Amino acid sequence: MTDRYGAAHRLWLRSFHQAAPGAPRLLCLPHAGGSASFYFPVSKALSPAVDVLAAQYPGRQDRLAETPARSVQELAQGVFRALDEGDGTPLALFGHSMGALVGFELARLLEAAGRPPAVVFLSGRRGPSLHRTETVHEGGDARLLEEVGRLDGTDTALFQDKELLEMILPALRADYRAVETYRRAPGPRLRCPIVVLTGDADPRVTPEEARTWDQETDGPFELHVYPGGHFYLTAQQQAVVARIEGTLRRLGPGRAVS
């Protein structure tokens, strides 16, 4: 990133590919245990037509020495502070799993600041009106790793590397704590469009549960169901990227989705 951006921007946000001048911007928010690099393939597929940024949460990769965030709201606030409030480029958000909650809270912050996102893509997560008691973060390491393996988003062979586990477990546990203790604070519904994507065999959310996101906006709402489990978007990358690109194309330069 260039020096015209502040320290918070360089700390929290990553850019992998050059975008064309005037391209709409897509900010991607990782899942629990995930990092900005998860979205490298998305950036590659969408660039240069879309300026793809990905959030890098504290406690992982080049931010390994930092203390992980304790809540979804803390993550959203960190990303919010990293955004240039004077930049008028149309901004879309894409969050998967925990990232969907971060994206939702970030959208609330942006709307409250008078800078509403053009569209919010929420993936692999039920709406916040559906509370479910979950305590994976309170269990031992074996239980945490079992849950991660069940979602099929991580190569379980990595779990055999003790040094690697020592590096990733603190952030992973903190992320699960953030998700499992999350509660939607009272406040107005969003006004921006919400596009929800989910897998038809996701063990964490059914399509019916994903549809409850429609309660969170007064704007347009769409639900798209793809074959696959919690990480359907890896196998269905081409279809998901096409959905994102088609939606962003409706923005037009400098315009919001209507």
Side-chain angles (χ1 to χ4, degrees), residues 169-195:
L169 276 172
L172 182 62
R173 186 176 299 280
D175 288 353
Y176 266 80
R177 178 178 60 233
V179 171
E180 293 180 344
T181 59
Y182 172 78
R183 302 292 183 272
R184 182 199 190 283
R189 288 156 57 103
L190 295 177
R191 300 182 300 279
C192 64
I194 287 181
V195 178

PDB file of all heavy atoms in Angstrom, residues 169-195:
ATOM      1  N   LEU A 169      -3.244 -21.633  17.520  1.00  0.00           N
ATOM      2  CA  LEU A 169      -4.326 -21.916  18.473  1.00  0.00           C
ATOM      3  C   LEU A 169      -4.816 -20.681  19.239  1.00  0.00           C
ATOM      4  O   LEU A 169      -6.033 -20.534  19.432  1.00  0.00           O
ATOM      5  CB  LEU A 169      -3.897 -23.003  19.457  1.00  0.00           C
ATOM      6  CG  LEU A 169      -4.089 -24.442  18.957  1.00  0.00           C
ATOM      7  CD1 LEU A 169      -3.452 -25.436  19.918  1.00  0.00           C
ATOM      8  CD2 LEU A 169      -5.576 -24.763  18.779  1.00  0.00           C
ATOM      9  N   PRO A 170      -3.933 -19.767  19.698  1.00  0.00           N
ATOM     10  CA  PRO A 170      -4.460 -18.608  20.439  1.00  0.00           C
ATOM     11  C   PRO A 170      -5.445 -17.771  19.619  1.00  0.00           C
ATOM     12  O   PRO A 170      -6.507 -17.398  20.117  1.00  0.00           O
ATOM     13  CB  PRO A 170      -3.189 -17.816  20.783  1.00  0.00           C
ATOM     14  CG  PRO A 170      -2.101 -18.852  20.828  1.00  0.00           C
ATOM     15  CD  PRO A 170      -2.452 -19.818  19.733  1.00  0.00           C
ATOM     16  N   ALA A 171      -5.113 -17.483  18.370  1.00  0.00           N
ATOM     17  CA  ALA A 171      -6.008 -16.685  17.535  1.00  0.00           C
ATOM     18  C   ALA A 171      -7.278 -17.468  17.213  1.00  0.00           C
ATOM     19  O   ALA A 171      -8.388 -16.910  17.199  1.00  0.00           O
ATOM     20  CB  ALA A 171      -5.301 -16.252  16.256  1.00  0.00           C
ATOM     21  N   LEU A 172      -7.125 -18.762  16.951  1.00  0.00           N
ATOM     22  CA  LEU A 172      -8.287 -19.589  16.634  1.00  0.00           C
ATOM     23  C   LEU A 172      -9.264 -19.619  17.800  1.00  0.00           C
ATOM     24  O   LEU A 172     -10.480 -19.449  17.629  1.00  0.00           O
ATOM     25  CB  LEU A 172      -7.830 -21.002  16.285  1.00  0.00           C
ATOM     26  CG  LEU A 172      -8.916 -21.998  15.873  1.00  0.00           C
ATOM     27  CD1 LEU A 172      -9.630 -21.534  14.612  1.00  0.00           C
ATOM     28  CD2 LEU A 172      -8.304 -23.392  15.664  1.00  0.00           C
ATOM     29  N   ARG A 173      -8.753 -19.823  19.006  1.00  0.00           N
ATOM     30  CA  ARG A 173      -9.622 -19.866  20.188  1.00  0.00           C
ATOM     31  C   ARG A 173     -10.274 -18.499  20.423  1.00  0.00           C
ATOM     32  O   ARG A 173     -11.460 -18.415  20.765  1.00  0.00           O
ATOM     33  CB  ARG A 173      -8.826 -20.300  21.419  1.00  0.00           C
ATOM     34  CG  ARG A 173      -9.700 -20.501  22.671  1.00  0.00           C
ATOM     35  CD  ARG A 173      -8.884 -21.025  23.841  1.00  0.00           C
ATOM     36  NE  ARG A 173      -8.294 -22.309  23.532  1.00  0.00           N
ATOM     37  CZ  ARG A 173      -8.940 -23.470  23.578  1.00  0.00           C
ATOM     38  NH1 ARG A 173     -10.223 -23.478  23.920  1.00  0.00           N
ATOM     39  NH2 ARG A 173      -8.318 -24.595  23.304  1.00  0.00           N
ATOM     40  N   ALA A 174      -9.500 -17.432  20.243  1.00  0.00           N
ATOM     41  CA  ALA A 174     -10.046 -16.090  20.425  1.00  0.00           C
ATOM     42  C   ALA A 174     -11.161 -15.814  19.421  1.00  0.00           C
ATOM     43  O   ALA A 174     -12.184 -15.211  19.755  1.00  0.00           O
ATOM     44  CB  ALA A 174      -8.937 -15.044  20.288  1.00  0.00           C
ATOM     45  N   ASP A 175     -10.978 -16.273  18.186  1.00  0.00           N
ATOM     46  CA  ASP A 175     -12.009 -16.080  17.169  1.00  0.00           C
ATOM     47  C   ASP A 175     -13.282 -16.828  17.534  1.00  0.00           C
ATOM     48  O   ASP A 175     -14.391 -16.297  17.390  1.00  0.00           O
ATOM     49  CB  ASP A 175     -11.503 -16.554  15.809  1.00  0.00           C
ATOM     50  CG  ASP A 175     -10.454 -15.628  15.207  1.00  0.00           C
ATOM     51  OD1 ASP A 175     -10.211 -14.550  15.773  1.00  0.00           O
ATOM     52  OD2 ASP A 175      -9.879 -15.997  14.165  1.00  0.00           O
ATOM     53  N   TYR A 176     -13.128 -18.066  17.990  1.00  0.00           N
ATOM     54  CA  TYR A 176     -14.316 -18.838  18.390  1.00  0.00           C
ATOM     55  C   TYR A 176     -15.006 -18.184  19.583  1.00  0.00           C
ATOM     56  O   TYR A 176     -16.243 -18.156  19.659  1.00  0.00           O
ATOM     57  CB  TYR A 176     -13.932 -20.282  18.706  1.00  0.00           C
ATOM     58  CG  TYR A 176     -14.087 -21.199  17.516  1.00  0.00           C
ATOM     59  CD1 TYR A 176     -13.120 -21.243  16.516  1.00  0.00           C
ATOM     60  CD2 TYR A 176     -15.206 -22.005  17.359  1.00  0.00           C
ATOM     61  CE1 TYR A 176     -13.261 -22.063  15.403  1.00  0.00           C
ATOM     62  CE2 TYR A 176     -15.365 -22.828  16.253  1.00  0.00           C
ATOM     63  CZ  TYR A 176     -14.387 -22.855  15.283  1.00  0.00           C
ATOM     64  OH  TYR A 176     -14.554 -23.662  14.176  1.00  0.00           O
ATOM     65  N   ARG A 177     -14.219 -17.646  20.509  1.00  0.00           N
ATOM     66  CA  ARG A 177     -14.825 -16.929  21.640  1.00  0.00           C
ATOM     67  C   ARG A 177     -15.603 -15.710  21.137  1.00  0.00           C
ATOM     68  O   ARG A 177     -16.727 -15.447  21.584  1.00  0.00           O
ATOM     69  CB  ARG A 177     -13.748 -16.490  22.630  1.00  0.00           C
ATOM     70  CG  ARG A 177     -14.304 -15.693  23.827  1.00  0.00           C
ATOM     71  CD  ARG A 177     -13.212 -15.323  24.818  1.00  0.00           C
ATOM     72  NE  ARG A 177     -12.200 -14.499  24.188  1.00  0.00           N
ATOM     73  CZ  ARG A 177     -10.899 -14.751  24.204  1.00  0.00           C
ATOM     74  NH1 ARG A 177     -10.442 -15.842  24.797  1.00  0.00           N
ATOM     75  NH2 ARG A 177     -10.047 -13.939  23.617  1.00  0.00           N
ATOM     76  N   ALA A 178     -15.020 -14.977  20.194  1.00  0.00           N
ATOM     77  CA  ALA A 178     -15.685 -13.789  19.657  1.00  0.00           C
ATOM     78  C   ALA A 178     -17.010 -14.154  19.004  1.00  0.00           C
ATOM     79  O   ALA A 178     -18.033 -13.483  19.207  1.00  0.00           O
ATOM     80  CB  ALA A 178     -14.766 -13.086  18.663  1.00  0.00           C
ATOM     81  N   VAL A 179     -17.017 -15.226  18.219  1.00  0.00           N
ATOM     82  CA  VAL A 179     -18.232 -15.648  17.524  1.00  0.00           C
ATOM     83  C   VAL A 179     -19.271 -16.176  18.506  1.00  0.00           C
ATOM     84  O   VAL A 179     -20.461 -15.825  18.432  1.00  0.00           O
ATOM     85  CB  VAL A 179     -17.906 -16.734  16.476  1.00  0.00           C
ATOM     86  CG1 VAL A 179     -19.175 -17.327  15.899  1.00  0.00           C
ATOM     87  CG2 VAL A 179     -17.053 -16.153  15.355  1.00  0.00           C
ATOM     88  N   GLU A 180     -18.842 -17.019  19.429  1.00  0.00           N
ATOM     89  CA  GLU A 180     -19.792 -17.703  20.311  1.00  0.00           C
ATOM     90  C   GLU A 180     -20.368 -16.788  21.380  1.00  0.00           C
ATOM     91  O   GLU A 180     -21.416 -17.092  21.962  1.00  0.00           O
ATOM     92  CB  GLU A 180     -19.116 -18.925  20.934  1.00  0.00           C
ATOM     93  CG  GLU A 180     -18.796 -19.988  19.880  1.00  0.00           C
ATOM     94  CD  GLU A 180     -18.122 -21.229  20.432  1.00  0.00           C
ATOM     95  OE1 GLU A 180     -17.609 -21.188  21.580  1.00  0.00           O
ATOM     96  OE2 GLU A 180     -18.112 -22.248  19.732  1.00  0.00           O
ATOM     97  N   THR A 181     -19.706 -15.669  21.666  1.00  0.00           N
ATOM     98  CA  THR A 181     -20.226 -14.715  22.651  1.00  0.00           C
ATOM     99  C   THR A 181     -20.878 -13.511  21.978  1.00  0.00           C
ATOM    100  O   THR A 181     -21.347 -12.601  22.665  1.00  0.00           O
ATOM    101  CB  THR A 181     -19.106 -14.219  23.581  1.00  0.00           C
ATOM    102  OG1 THR A 181     -18.079 -13.580  22.803  1.00  0.00           O
ATOM    103  CG2 THR A 181     -18.494 -15.375  24.364  1.00  0.00           C
ATOM    104  N   TYR A 182     -20.942 -13.520  20.655  1.00  0.00           N
ATOM    105  CA  TYR A 182     -21.506 -12.386  19.922  1.00  0.00           C
ATOM    106  C   TYR A 182     -23.007 -12.263  20.153  1.00  0.00           C
ATOM    107  O   TYR A 182     -23.742 -13.251  20.106  1.00  0.00           O
ATOM    108  CB  TYR A 182     -21.250 -12.541  18.420  1.00  0.00           C
ATOM    109  CG  TYR A 182     -21.980 -11.510  17.572  1.00  0.00           C
ATOM    110  CD1 TYR A 182     -21.500 -10.210  17.472  1.00  0.00           C
ATOM    111  CD2 TYR A 182     -23.164 -11.836  16.907  1.00  0.00           C
ATOM    112  CE1 TYR A 182     -22.173  -9.260  16.720  1.00  0.00           C
ATOM    113  CE2 TYR A 182     -23.837 -10.886  16.143  1.00  0.00           C
ATOM    114  CZ  TYR A 182     -23.338  -9.603  16.060  1.00  0.00           C
ATOM    115  OH  TYR A 182     -24.007  -8.666  15.309  1.00  0.00           O
ATOM    116  N   ARG A 183     -23.434 -11.033  20.393  1.00  0.00           N
ATOM    117  CA  ARG A 183     -24.854 -10.714  20.450  1.00  0.00           C
ATOM    118  C   ARG A 183     -25.064  -9.412  19.671  1.00  0.00           C
ATOM    119  O   ARG A 183     -24.297  -8.464  19.813  1.00  0.00           O
ATOM    120  CB  ARG A 183     -25.339 -10.527  21.902  1.00  0.00           C
ATOM    121  CG  ARG A 183     -25.125 -11.733  22.805  1.00  0.00           C
ATOM    122  CD  ARG A 183     -25.990 -12.920  22.420  1.00  0.00           C
ATOM    123  NE  ARG A 183     -25.805 -14.021  23.357  1.00  0.00           N
ATOM    124  CZ  ARG A 183     -24.856 -14.963  23.240  1.00  0.00           C
ATOM    125  NH1 ARG A 183     -24.002 -14.924  22.216  1.00  0.00           N
ATOM    126  NH2 ARG A 183     -24.737 -15.919  24.120  1.00  0.00           N
ATOM    127  N   ARG A 184     -26.108  -9.380  18.895  1.00  0.00           N
ATOM    128  CA  ARG A 184     -26.422  -8.165  18.143  1.00  0.00           C
ATOM    129  C   ARG A 184     -26.919  -7.097  19.101  1.00  0.00           C
ATOM    130  O   ARG A 184     -27.925  -7.287  19.793  1.00  0.00           O
ATOM    131  CB  ARG A 184     -27.495  -8.458  17.091  1.00  0.00           C
ATOM    132  CG  ARG A 184     -27.876  -7.269  16.215  1.00  0.00           C
ATOM    133  CD  ARG A 184     -29.210  -7.520  15.552  1.00  0.00           C
ATOM    134  NE  ARG A 184     -29.550  -6.566  14.520  1.00  0.00           N
ATOM    135  CZ  ARG A 184     -29.997  -5.328  14.738  1.00  0.00           C
ATOM    136  NH1 ARG A 184     -30.140  -4.895  15.991  1.00  0.00           N
ATOM    137  NH2 ARG A 184     -30.289  -4.543  13.725  1.00  0.00           N
ATOM    138  N   ALA A 185     -26.236  -5.960  19.161  1.00  0.00           N
ATOM    139  CA  ALA A 185     -26.688  -4.856  20.002  1.00  0.00           C
ATOM    140  C   ALA A 185     -27.878  -4.181  19.342  1.00  0.00           C
ATOM    141  O   ALA A 185     -28.018  -4.187  18.117  1.00  0.00           O
ATOM    142  CB  ALA A 185     -25.557  -3.848  20.203  1.00  0.00           C
ATOM    143  N   PRO A 186     -28.791  -3.600  20.146  1.00  0.00           N
ATOM    144  CA  PRO A 186     -29.934  -2.899  19.563  1.00  0.00           C
ATOM    145  C   PRO A 186     -29.472  -1.789  18.627  1.00  0.00           C
ATOM    146  O   PRO A 186     -28.422  -1.178  18.832  1.00  0.00           O
ATOM    147  CB  PRO A 186     -30.651  -2.333  20.795  1.00  0.00           C
ATOM    148  CG  PRO A 186     -30.218  -3.198  21.931  1.00  0.00           C
ATOM    149  CD  PRO A 186     -28.808  -3.594  21.622  1.00  0.00           C
ATOM    150  N   GLY A 187     -30.264  -1.535  17.622  1.00  0.00           N
ATOM    151  CA  GLY A 187     -29.922  -0.490  16.667  1.00  0.00           C
ATOM    152  C   GLY A 187     -30.767  -0.618  15.424  1.00  0.00           C
ATOM    153  O   GLY A 187     -31.483  -1.608  15.233  1.00  0.00           O
ATOM    154  N   PRO A 188     -30.689   0.374  14.556  1.00  0.00           N
ATOM    155  CA  PRO A 188     -31.516   0.359  13.348  1.00  0.00           C
ATOM    156  C   PRO A 188     -31.089  -0.728  12.381  1.00  0.00           C
ATOM    157  O   PRO A 188     -29.943  -1.178  12.390  1.00  0.00           O
ATOM    158  CB  PRO A 188     -31.281   1.750  12.749  1.00  0.00           C
ATOM    159  CG  PRO A 188     -29.946   2.166  13.267  1.00  0.00           C
ATOM    160  CD  PRO A 188     -29.852   1.597  14.642  1.00  0.00           C
ATOM    161  N   ARG A 189     -32.025  -1.155  11.548  1.00  0.00           N
ATOM    162  CA  ARG A 189     -31.707  -2.074  10.470  1.00  0.00           C
ATOM    163  C   ARG A 189     -30.838  -1.358   9.450  1.00  0.00           C
ATOM    164  O   ARG A 189     -30.857  -0.130   9.350  1.00  0.00           O
ATOM    165  CB  ARG A 189     -32.994  -2.564   9.810  1.00  0.00           C
ATOM    166  CG  ARG A 189     -33.808  -3.536  10.645  1.00  0.00           C
ATOM    167  CD  ARG A 189     -35.279  -3.544  10.273  1.00  0.00           C
ATOM    168  NE  ARG A 189     -35.519  -3.844   8.873  1.00  0.00           N
ATOM    169  CZ  ARG A 189     -35.956  -5.043   8.419  1.00  0.00           C
ATOM    170  NH1 ARG A 189     -36.155  -6.031   9.277  1.00  0.00           N
ATOM    171  NH2 ARG A 189     -36.194  -5.229   7.150  1.00  0.00           N
ATOM    172  N   LEU A 190     -30.063  -2.148   8.717  1.00  0.00           N
ATOM    173  CA  LEU A 190     -29.285  -1.573   7.630  1.00  0.00           C
ATOM    174  C   LEU A 190     -30.225  -1.056   6.543  1.00  0.00           C
ATOM    175  O   LEU A 190     -31.376  -1.493   6.439  1.00  0.00           O
ATOM    176  CB  LEU A 190     -28.345  -2.629   7.041  1.00  0.00           C
ATOM    177  CG  LEU A 190     -27.243  -3.158   7.951  1.00  0.00           C
ATOM    178  CD1 LEU A 190     -26.448  -4.255   7.237  1.00  0.00           C
ATOM    179  CD2 LEU A 190     -26.315  -2.049   8.414  1.00  0.00           C
ATOM    180  N   ARG A 191     -29.696  -0.173   5.718  1.00  0.00           N
ATOM    181  CA  ARG A 191     -30.437   0.325   4.562  1.00  0.00           C
ATOM    182  C   ARG A 191     -29.852  -0.196   3.251  1.00  0.00           C
ATOM    183  O   ARG A 191     -30.494  -0.100   2.206  1.00  0.00           O
ATOM    184  CB  ARG A 191     -30.432   1.857   4.557  1.00  0.00           C
ATOM    185  CG  ARG A 191     -31.068   2.483   5.789  1.00  0.00           C
ATOM    186  CD  ARG A 191     -31.095   3.994   5.727  1.00  0.00           C
ATOM    187  NE  ARG A 191     -29.758   4.580   5.619  1.00  0.00           N
ATOM    188  CZ  ARG A 191     -28.941   4.779   6.641  1.00  0.00           C
ATOM    189  NH1 ARG A 191     -29.327   4.436   7.869  1.00  0.00           N
ATOM    190  NH2 ARG A 191     -27.754   5.316   6.466  1.00  0.00           N
ATOM    191  N   CYS A 192     -28.649  -0.740   3.320  1.00  0.00           N
ATOM    192  CA  CYS A 192     -27.963  -1.200   2.119  1.00  0.00           C
ATOM    193  C   CYS A 192     -28.446  -2.595   1.712  1.00  0.00           C
ATOM    194  O   CYS A 192     -29.031  -3.317   2.516  1.00  0.00           O
ATOM    195  CB  CYS A 192     -26.451  -1.230   2.358  1.00  0.00           C
ATOM    196  SG  CYS A 192     -25.945  -2.398   3.624  1.00  0.00           S
ATOM    197  N   PRO A 193     -28.201  -2.988   0.469  1.00  0.00           N
ATOM    198  CA  PRO A 193     -28.557  -4.341   0.034  1.00  0.00           C
ATOM    199  C   PRO A 193     -27.708  -5.405   0.744  1.00  0.00           C
ATOM    200  O   PRO A 193     -26.538  -5.183   1.039  1.00  0.00           O
ATOM    201  CB  PRO A 193     -28.246  -4.325  -1.466  1.00  0.00           C
ATOM    202  CG  PRO A 193     -28.152  -2.888  -1.835  1.00  0.00           C
ATOM    203  CD  PRO A 193     -27.653  -2.178  -0.626  1.00  0.00           C
ATOM    204  N   ILE A 194     -28.321  -6.548   1.009  1.00  0.00           N
ATOM    205  CA  ILE A 194     -27.618  -7.712   1.554  1.00  0.00           C
ATOM    206  C   ILE A 194     -27.776  -8.871   0.576  1.00  0.00           C
ATOM    207  O   ILE A 194     -28.892  -9.174   0.138  1.00  0.00           O
ATOM    208  CB  ILE A 194     -28.163  -8.111   2.937  1.00  0.00           C
ATOM    209  CG1 ILE A 194     -27.721  -7.096   4.007  1.00  0.00           C
ATOM    210  CG2 ILE A 194     -27.719  -9.517   3.322  1.00  0.00           C
ATOM    211  CD1 ILE A 194     -28.204  -7.439   5.410  1.00  0.00           C
ATOM    212  N   VAL A 195     -26.662  -9.489   0.236  1.00  0.00           N
ATOM    213  CA  VAL A 195     -26.658 -10.690  -0.592  1.00  0.00           C
ATOM    214  C   VAL A 195     -26.063 -11.815   0.248  1.00  0.00           C
ATOM    215  O   VAL A 195     -24.908 -11.739   0.671  1.00  0.00           O
ATOM    216  CB  VAL A 195     -25.823 -10.492  -1.879  1.00  0.00           C
ATOM    217  CG1 VAL A 195     -25.786 -11.781  -2.694  1.00  0.00           C
ATOM    218  CG2 VAL A 195     -26.398  -9.349  -2.716  1.00  0.00           C
TER     219      VAL A 195
END
